[in-house]
């Protein structure tokens, strides 16, 4: 039986990553927590695919909105940082990513994808998992879906804002509306 993760401390991680300046570095949940930031961690299956760049670039295009909400965004796949960099250095017109506003992390040993319950072990790739983690390290939201369906940036931002209200948000709640 799967173990519940929401409302518990999120699995800690540190991964190699390609940073927005295209340099290699590290990303970690501990660093985001130390900086009192929310973490929006999303897994995608593989570089140089078809659905993935639509999500990755859509989040990058809206990065300022995440930043305004004190959130660090981290994209993760089981590919290497070198593959990530090659994809970033490929233009959007050629099915690449172009410049990104946030880090792409490399979970090459598959441990983080395992810890978050999104690894398809027989393929060595992750499902499309999205996790929102509070600055205190508590996993407050998770959604995992099949790899053929891209995620909605508006919904991710809406949920992040709802979590940040600290209140009870009814169905179809939108930022600016009253909480319960």
């Amino acid at each position: 039986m799967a173990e519940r993760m929401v409302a518990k401390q999120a699995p800690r991680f540190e991964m190699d990553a390609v940073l927005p300046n295209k340099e290699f570095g590290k990303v970690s949940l501990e660093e985001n927590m130390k900086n009192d930031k929310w973490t929006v961690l999303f897994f995608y299956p593989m570089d140089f695919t078809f659905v993935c760049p639509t999500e990755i670039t859509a989040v990058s295009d809206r990065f300022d909105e995440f930043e305004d909400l004190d959130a660090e965004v981290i994209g993760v796949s089981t590919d290497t940082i070198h593959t990530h960099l090659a994809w970033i250095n490929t233009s959007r017109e050629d099915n690449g990513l172009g410049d990104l506003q946030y880090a792409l992390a490399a979970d090459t040993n598959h441990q983080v994808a395992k810890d978050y319950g999104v690894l398809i072990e027989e393929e060595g790739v992750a499902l499309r998992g999205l996790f929102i983690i509070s600055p205190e390290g508590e996993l407050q939201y998770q959604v995992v879906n099949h790899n053929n369906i891209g995620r909605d940036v508006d919904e991710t931002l809406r949920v992040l804002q709802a979590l940040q209200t600290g209140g009870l948000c009814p169905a179809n709640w939108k930022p600016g509306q009253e909480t319960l």
Side-chain angles (χ1 to χ4, degrees):
M1 170 161 292
E3 186 177 322
R4 169 182 67 85
M5 292 178 59
V6 172
K8 291 185 175 182
Q9 284 293 299
R12 300 303 193 256
F13 62 82
E14 180 179 89
M15 292 178 278
D16 291 330
V18 179
L19 305 176
N21 63 5
K22 298 185 182 180
E23 291 181 7
F24 297 141
K26 301 258 186 207
V27 293
S28 76
L29 181 55
E30 293 288 338
E31 186 68 20
N32 291 351
M33 292 170 60
K34 186 174 83 177
N35 293 324
D36 201 33
K37 298 284 188 179
W38 288 79
T39 301
V40 176
L41 179 70
F42 74 92
F43 292 86
Y44 64 94
M46 217 179 317
D47 293 349
F48 292 99
T49 56
F50 299 103
V51 177
C52 297
T54 66
E55 291 186 305
I56 294 166
T57 59
V59 170
S60 186
D61 291 346
R62 308 271 305 272
F63 179 75
D64 289 349
E65 294 172 67
F66 288 98
E67 195 172 51
D68 289 345
L69 295 169
D70 289 323
E72 290 291 334
V73 177
I74 302 170
V76 184
S77 82
T78 56
D79 292 302
T80 68
I81 53 175
H82 302 287
T83 306
H84 288 344
L85 184 59
W87 201 23
I88 290 167
N89 284 331
T90 303
S91 73
R92 289 185 182 189
E93 294 76 30
D94 293 324
N95 199 37
L97 301 177
D99 293 339
L100 292 181
Q101 300 300 311
Y102 60 90
L104 283 188
D107 182 24
T108 54
N109 67 4
H110 306 174
Q111 188 59 53
V112 181
K114 264 186 216 170
D115 290 347
Y116 280 82
V118 296
L119 183 65
I120 304 172
E121 294 202 35
E122 58 275 14
E123 296 178 32
V125 300
L127 289 165
R128 290 188 197 286
L130 172 72
F131 302 86
I132 300 178
I133 304 163
S134 75
E136 297 75 38
E138 181 182 305
L139 181 58
Q140 295 199 350
Y141 179 81
Q142 93 177 52
V143 62
V144 179
N145 58 272
H146 196 284
N147 282 336
N148 62 354
I149 302 167
R151 290 161 282 202
D152 186 311
V153 178
D154 287 330
E155 177 63 3
T156 303
L157 285 162
R158 184 191 79 83
V159 169
L160 177 59
Q161 289 170 305
L163 291 168
Q164 290 179 349
T165 70
L168 301 173
C169 297
N172 302 318
W173 177 89
K174 300 271 190 277
Q177 293 179 340
E178 301 254 341
T179 57
L180 301 176

